[in-house]
Amino acid sequence: MSADSGIPTFRGEDGFWTIGSKNYTPQEMATRRMYKENPSQFLLWYYTRFVKYRNAKPNEVHKYLVDKCLITQNIDGLDFKAGNREYIPVHGNLHKVTIYDNQYNHYPIYNN
């Protein structure tokens, strides 16, 4: 759904799950173990991809779904940017930070 907003698909040619780092596969990068053992590599891998989301704008589908209760795997926050506050992002989202030791505390990164 977010591909029309310029966000790569997860498993597409330039998606998260197809591009690793110089020394690790995506499946190795996206783990708590990598975060604990090599946090700088972990954060660099994530942040270089997340920067693509920063200026992305919701498309017509996001706007259509604003008043719907969604369950989504998308982490890009475009549903939030479109105005939907009732969606459930099962993999988290980029407009909230989860503290490593307490997954129930969320801190907004930006306000829409």
Side-chain angles (χ1 to χ4, degrees):
M1 175 165 98
S2 296
D4 288 342
S5 294
I7 304 292
T9 61
F10 196 71
R11 288 184 173 80
E13 188 175 305
D14 58 349
F16 267 156
W17 223 235
T18 57
I19 300 173
S21 71
K22 183 177 179 182
N23 300 311
Y24 301 98
T25 67
Q27 293 79 6
E28 292 170 311
M29 293 300 301
T31 63
R32 205 172 275 237
R33 179 179 178 183
M34 181 61 72
Y35 174 77
K36 285 179 152 183
E37 294 178 4
N38 197 341
S40 62
Q41 181 96 19
F42 174 90
L43 292 171
L44 179 63
W45 183 71
Y46 271 103
Y47 290 158
T48 55
R49 280 142 186 84
F50 290 169
V51 75
K52 293 180 182 182
Y53 301 168
R54 179 180 218 143
N55 297 316
K57 305 275 190 254
N59 61 51
E60 292 305 312
V61 177
H62 295 106
K63 293 172 186 174
Y64 170 77
L65 296 171
V66 162
D67 60 348
K68 314 294 188 283
C69 186
L70 306 175
I71 299 174
T72 181
Q73 294 182 3
N74 290 350
I75 64 166
D76 55 41
L78 293 180
D79 294 298
F80 181 83
K81 284 183 177 181
N84 192 325
R85 299 299 183 264
E86 301 301 322
Y87 75 102
I88 300 168
V90 295
H91 292 300
N93 55 59
L94 296 178
H95 67 273
K96 291 184 180 177
V97 174
T98 300
I99 302 300
Y100 179 68
D101 62 0
N102 186 341
Q103 66 184 354
Y104 301 104
N105 289 339
H106 295 280
Y107 301 92
I109 293 178
Y110 63 83
N111 292 318
N112 189 11

